[in-house]
Amino acid sequence: MSRRPRKDAPAQGVPRPTVSVCRGCCCGTEKIPGVDHAGQLARLRSGLAGTAATVRVVECLDACEQGNVIVVQPSAEGRRAGGRPVWLGLVNDEHAEQDIVTWAAAGGPGLADAPDILDLYVFQPSRRVRAALDD
């Protein structure tokens, strides 16, 4: 048995909330008409610039019937506080984008309550789809 003191396990997860924006086969394309997809991504990035949140573009999340899909993932601290990724579908208007920015900037899942209106956008994808995002 080693007499060296044990090191604490490193904290799991990213240090800040992450807003993952699907831009695969349907989301972010003309398959969802009437939406300024490039503008949506630009507004999310500029709204969260200088905050503790990160915006990242991901490939198809395989929830095309819910396009445009955005997933707000908790920070490591948020996950320790019980926060879990929140999947938002049909995010096709600027008001929802602003609510997402406000929530993520305040800490996101586990640390801040989402604006009530976002409940209208929440959906649960299959377990297989959720697991793909965690990879």
Side-chain angles (χ1 to χ4, degrees):
M1 176 187 254
S2 173
R3 293 183 187 248
R4 283 186 263 158
R6 290 185 185 183
K7 291 183 179 178
D8 290 334
Q12 297 295 320
V14 295
R16 58 182 133 204
T18 302
V19 177
S20 298
V21 182
C22 183
R23 287 297 181 254
C25 69
C26 296
C27 295
T29 72
E30 66 280 350
K31 290 182 182 178
I32 301 171
V35 178
D36 177 6
H37 300 288
Q40 180 184 59
L41 187 56
R43 286 186 296 275
L44 289 168
R45 285 185 169 148
S46 68
L48 290 169
T51 71
T54 300
V55 176
R56 72 177 183 154
V57 175
V58 296
E59 289 298 315
C60 183
L61 291 172
D62 201 18
C64 299
E65 68 282 356
Q66 296 289 331
N68 285 337
V69 175
I70 295 177
V71 182
V72 183
Q73 297 169 268
S75 63
E77 182 183 359
R79 189 168 282 276
R80 284 190 299 274
R84 296 294 175 258
V86 177
W87 288 67
L88 303 167
L90 305 173
V91 182
N92 299 319
D93 67 78
E94 292 182 33
H95 298 292
E97 296 164 17
Q98 186 55 52
D99 289 334
I100 293 166
V101 165
T102 299
W103 180 34
L111 299 180
D113 291 331
D116 290 337
I117 194 72
L118 288 182
D119 289 347
L120 297 173
Y121 297 88
V122 173
F123 74 99
Q124 285 296 318
S126 71
R127 211 173 326 169
R128 176 187 58 79
V129 171
R130 286 192 315 263
L133 184 63
D134 288 337
D135 289 345

